[in-house]
Amino acid sequence: MDALTAARPDLLKRGAASRLLVPGLAALVVVLFLLSLGVGPVVLPLRAVIDGLFGTGDEAARLIVREIRLPRAILAVAIGFSLGLAGASLQGLLRNPLASPSLFGAPSAAAFGAVLVIAFGVFDALSYFLPIAAMLGALLSVGLLLLIAGPRASLLVIILAGLAISSLAGAATSLALNLAPNPFAALEIAFWLLGSLEDRSMQHVMIALPFIVAGSVLLFVDGAAFRALTLGEDAAASLGIRLNRVRLRVVLGVALAVGGGVAVAGTIGFVGLVAPHLVRPFVRHDPARLMWPAALAGAALLTAADILVRIIPAQNEIKVGVVTALIGAPLFIVLVFRHRRGLTGEVG
Amino acid sequence: MAPLLRAEKVGATLGRRTILEGVDLAVAAGELVVVIGPNGAGKTTLVRRLAGLLDGAGAIYLDEHRVETIAPRLRAKRVGYLPQGHVFHWPLAVADVVALGRIPHASGASELGESDREAVLQALEATGTLPLAERTVTTLSGGERARVALARVLAGAPDLILADEPVAALDVRYQFVVLDLLRERARAGAAVIAVLHDLSLAARYADRVLLVDDGRIVAEGAPTAVITHENLAATFGIHAEIEARDGHLVVTPLGAN
């Protein structure tokens, strides 16, 4: 067998391109992060950004960088990261490249949870009840969907169920807005629902980050399981994968990540769909190797989109959730078109 | 010697329907047992039940330990399960698919160790899929996919191989190649249980044949004892010509009764 190993030394070893993917994407995220600190009504050069970040530059630059733009940049990276990861995980679990948190109605359900809290002013909008309510909403939608779908549901069932849950959450949100005691609160919520990172403070970061980090940690556990699921549920189980635990971790992880993000930034869709899609060819479609690149691509995408909304000349700043949907939804249509043959078939 | 696998009064239900009932079975290391039976007899359910993938009545012992009490990963190291259909959901490279068989052995590192690489290469070589190693698995023909699926199981070097229709979709030559491989694994000390539809192949390769019908084992023993005109008529509802040729039974189905 030594001769065989010697004859194919290349086999099963990663190429240089795939080893550079994660560091490359990480570098891209860092560049975009710094860019995000520099771009806005006042454009700051890199020098001023770094000085401001470490509190050594002049007062105005320091204030802009640390108080206004840093929370926003942190949130863009963290939320984008967790959405990319959530998308890759759902796709791995369901063995389908069209799965994403949005498809599950998770953001709308999370938004409903958060809106309930805000609209009725039960709690201060900057308390931990907001992400908890959002997380519970997301948990309900993702859990319900996997329950409806069962282990061997076709993608069509999942999409239809997701649509139904999404619509229900949307209607419930509208009802909450409708019944909101304060019309100004309603207007504020409507804008917040569009998804934005504008004017977020470190307090928002502190609220969202624990949920996002916990969710991401949970989601990173199951790479090997997603890889084994390539062979289907039975074969994966026969390889020692405990599928019930995997499902539970993915549901919880997605709910935590989406809940934390939605609580402070509103609904930002399609990052979870687009990010894994962009990097999948570079990892040769391996669902385990996909996870870090998908997460980093998500971070880069959302940060870039959030920079874009500041550059586009418009009277009102365009909401970043609108931009991601405008870019993501057409791509979704393209994906559906490309996979339309598989859509009538089974997922499992 | 104690059997490697022992099943006691094993059953399985799907909703209110009983798929499998009162199956007693013992398979020793080194044995190749072939399961035959008509469609819907419960062959696949039996294999899934034996693989520990399905709950139900009765008890299954692996080396005299209840299979439910063995940690899934430990069980996975010892029991290789080859499902029907040979479906692959992601367009992975063939070598990466075969490497999935090493998951129970992985030390937690994402890169394969030297022994893993060797096992994968051996499995590729044995199944004749080494030339396909870099191909994308979803672009392969049905027969090629079947061999890759088997290579995945062999890569894990299990003591017990449960193969559900391993030669369906294979051309005649590769049916022999694959069954030769399974027999070779049995000679090397593994216990092999394979579901087959081709009665001549079953007779030729089996140390023992299990005839399953309506969720029960209706006949068990040497091929000549199980594959008889009466049994084939009673279970498959066919009449067939059964002749001994070169020391093997050759079964030529002649028609439905």
Side-chain angles (χ1 to χ4, degrees):
Chain A
M1 266 312 106
D2 288 342
L4 197 56
T5 316
R8 307 300 302 266
D10 52 313
L11 216 57
L12 297 161
K13 298 249 164 105
R14 291 192 216 171
S18 108
R19 248 177 281 130
L20 285 177
L21 184 63
V22 168
L25 283 169
L28 177 66
V29 171
V30 170
V31 168
L32 286 168
F33 182 80
L34 291 173
L35 202 61
S36 170
L37 295 178
V39 172
V42 180
V43 177
L44 297 171
L46 181 64
R47 191 59 219 245
V49 165
I50 290 172
D51 282 347
L53 203 54
F54 292 102
T56 50
D58 73 287
E59 183 66 20
R62 197 177 61 84
L63 211 66
I64 291 173
V65 170
R66 282 172 84 167
E67 302 298 323
I68 298 173
R69 292 185 192 163
L70 185 60
R72 180 174 189 163
I74 291 174
L75 283 176
V77 168
I79 293 172
F81 184 94
S82 66
L83 286 177
L85 184 60
S89 300
L90 285 173
Q91 292 172 8
L93 181 67
L94 295 171
R95 291 151 277 154
N96 200 296
L98 293 177
S100 75
S102 316
L103 194 64
F104 277 50
S108 354
F112 170 63
V115 163
L116 264 190
V117 170
I118 303 173
F120 296 100
V122 193
F123 303 104
D124 174 9
L126 270 179
S127 78
Y128 282 102
F129 285 106
L130 196 61
I132 288 172
M135 194 205 78
L136 287 178
L139 193 64
L140 209 66
S141 79
V142 180
L144 190 65
L145 205 133
L146 284 183
L147 203 69
I148 295 172
R152 283 180 184 75
S154 74
L155 187 65
L156 199 63
V157 172
I158 293 172
I159 288 174
L160 290 175
L163 184 70
I165 292 171
S166 218
S167 309
L168 183 65
T173 304
S174 305
L175 183 69
L177 285 179
N178 220 183
L179 299 176
N182 177 348
F184 295 107
L187 192 65
E188 200 179 309
I189 291 168
F191 266 109
W192 170 82
L193 275 177
L194 297 177
S196 171
L197 295 165
E198 214 180 338
D199 298 330
R200 297 303 189 265
S201 69
M202 274 301 170
Q203 219 176 335
H204 289 97
V205 175
M206 297 315 290
I207 286 176
L209 218 50
F211 290 84
I212 291 174
V213 170
S216 299
V217 168
L218 265 182
L219 292 176
F220 270 122
V221 172
D222 286 311
F226 300 149
R227 192 182 274 159
L229 276 167
T230 293
L231 302 169
E233 306 226 341
D234 262 0
S238 81
L239 283 168
I241 306 297
R242 301 174 194 228
L243 289 172
N244 283 334
R245 294 186 188 186
V246 173
R247 271 186 218 110
L248 192 66
R249 275 193 294 265
V250 171
V251 169
L252 270 177
V254 169
L256 280 165
V258 170
V262 166
V264 296
T267 49
I268 294 173
F270 293 102
V271 175
L273 177 78
V274 176
H277 178 72
L278 290 178
V279 291
R280 184 170 283 115
F282 298 103
V283 297
R284 298 200 68 177
H285 297 261
D286 180 336
R289 253 182 257 164
L290 176 71
M291 300 177 76
W292 271 102
L296 290 168
L301 268 179
L302 188 55
T303 311
D306 188 48
I307 293 169
L308 196 65
V309 296
R310 281 176 266 173
I311 297 173
I312 298 171
Q315 202 133 39
N316 290 324
E317 183 173 305
I318 295 170
K319 305 290 181 191
V320 73
V322 177
V323 171
T324 59
L326 278 177
I327 297 169
L331 192 95
F332 185 53
I333 294 171
V334 171
L335 277 176
V336 169
F337 185 72
R338 208 184 289 163
H339 291 271
R340 67 190 190 282
R341 219 159 44 97
L343 282 172
T344 49
E346 295 285 302
V347 170
Chain B
M1 201 176 77
L4 179 69
L5 177 80
R6 195 159 59 83
E8 260 176 22
K9 295 192 175 56
V10 160
T13 53
L14 193 71
R16 248 179 278 158
R17 212 156 62 88
T18 302
I19 311 287
L20 207 61
E21 203 177 0
V23 172
D24 290 311
L25 177 67
V27 182
E31 239 189 325
L32 198 167
V33 174
V34 171
V35 180
I36 59 171
N39 288 336
K43 303 183 296 293
T44 293
T45 305
L46 173 63
V47 171
R48 292 185 67 218
R49 186 77 180 84
L50 294 176
L53 298 172
L54 206 60
D55 294 328
I60 295 161
Y61 300 88
L62 192 64
D63 266 344
E64 298 305 313
H65 294 288
R66 281 288 289 260
V67 76
E68 301 88 351
T69 63
I70 306 173
R73 172 123 167 230
L74 232 51
R75 187 202 66 212
K77 268 190 192 177
R78 307 204 55 196
V79 182
Y81 169 66
L82 176 63
Q84 241 178 62
H86 317 125
V87 175
F88 303 100
H89 293 283
W90 295 108
L92 298 184
V94 165
D96 288 331
V97 169
V98 176
L100 294 174
R102 298 303 294 176
I103 285 178
H105 301 266
S107 49
S110 61
E111 289 271 5
L112 294 175
E114 212 38 57
S115 62
D116 296 318
R117 269 172 53 78
E118 204 150 291
V120 170
L121 283 167
Q122 268 183 32
L124 286 167
E125 166 109 319
T127 51
T129 49
L130 193 57
L132 308 173
E134 317 233 328
R135 289 269 304 275
T136 301
V137 71
T138 43
T139 64
L140 301 180
S141 73
E144 289 167 335
R145 283 208 308 270
R147 282 184 283 142
V148 171
L150 177 67
R152 191 273 298 171
V153 173
L154 295 183
D159 304 326
L160 170 64
I161 297 174
L162 299 162
D164 198 352
E165 296 193 24
V167 298
L170 286 179
D171 66 36
V172 183
R173 176 169 176 271
Y174 272 109
Q175 294 187 9
F176 288 120
V177 168
V178 162
L179 289 171
D180 283 340
L181 258 173
L182 289 176
R183 185 158 63 187
E184 193 248 308
R185 295 312 309 156
R187 294 235 167 100
V192 180
I193 299 177
V195 176
L196 295 181
H197 270 302
D198 186 311
L199 299 172
S200 295
L201 286 176
R204 183 188 180 111
Y205 282 92
D207 295 318
R208 190 149 47 105
V209 176
L210 297 181
L211 175 57
V212 178
D213 190 27
D214 205 15
R216 296 168 178 278
I217 295 179
V218 294
E220 177 181 0
T224 45
V226 175
I227 301 175
T228 61
H229 291 108
E230 298 74 40
N231 281 343
L232 294 188
T235 55
F236 287 93
I238 58 163
H239 51 283
E241 186 178 70
I242 304 172
E243 52 180 334
R245 200 186 293 163
D246 302 333
H248 301 296
L249 282 188
V250 175
V251 183
T252 314
L254 297 174
N257 291 343

